[in-house]
Amino acid sequence: MFDYTVTTTKNVKEAVSSLELKLKEEKFGVLWKFDIKEKLQEKGLEFESDYLVLEVCNPHEAERVLKENLLVGYFLPCKIVVYSDNGKTKIGMPRPTALINLINNEEIKRLAKDIEERLIQCINKSI
């Protein structure tokens, strides 16, 4: 599967807040929060589901993978999405290992696996 997605009993705002704390513990910062619902409604479209995209990055990890292969920058920063789906809050992300398989480099794959495991831990601890 290309993604890792979980359901939480928290609402979207609570889930984002909890996730940000857990990411910080792993030295990942949220560079940007994109509220898709807000943006679409701003453009006059009817989109009612809360849907936030968090762009997250650990600068030391970014440096490690970029030194190995600059093309990896195409996948940075990592995305984690928090959204409402039929009354349930979900937290998910594309798996770095699924994306990185497009680059044939074993060291990059090893780094992506480590980052993926740490991000999954952050998600799991935030639910």
Side-chain angles (χ1 to χ4, degrees), residues 107-124:
E107 178 61 16
I108 294 283
K109 289 178 184 179
R110 187 186 66 70
L111 294 170
K113 183 172 178 9
D114 176 58
I115 292 166
E116 179 177 302
E117 289 170 355
R118 290 167 53 204
L119 290 174
I120 286 173
Q121 284 180 352
C122 291
I123 289 171
N124 289 343

Side-chain angles (χ1 to χ4, degrees), residues 52-66:
L52 287 144
V53 178
L54 283 67
E55 299 274 349
V56 303
C57 183
N58 176 311
H60 298 288
E61 299 300 344
E63 179 189 36
R64 282 176 39 188
V65 296
L66 288 169

Side-chain angles (χ1 to χ4, degrees), residues 76-87:
L76 298 178
C78 296
K79 286 183 176 27
I80 299 180
V81 180
V82 182
Y83 60 101
S84 177
D85 183 19
N86 293 317

Side-chain angles (χ1 to χ4, degrees), residues 4-43:
Y4 180 79
T5 304
V6 297
T7 302
T8 179
T9 57
K10 296 176 180 170
N11 65 37
V12 170
K13 186 176 180 178
E14 293 167 337
V16 168
S17 180
S18 179
L19 181 60
E20 286 178 319
L21 289 172
K22 299 307 174 189
L23 288 165
K24 189 174 183 177
E25 290 172 9
E26 278 293 322
K27 310 272 191 273
F28 283 89
V30 176
L31 304 174
W32 182 57
K33 264 189 264 188
F34 180 47
D35 186 332
I36 291 181
K37 174 183 172 181
E38 181 181 283
K39 184 54 76 177
L40 291 176
Q41 288 180 347
E42 180 183 296
K43 300 294 182 185

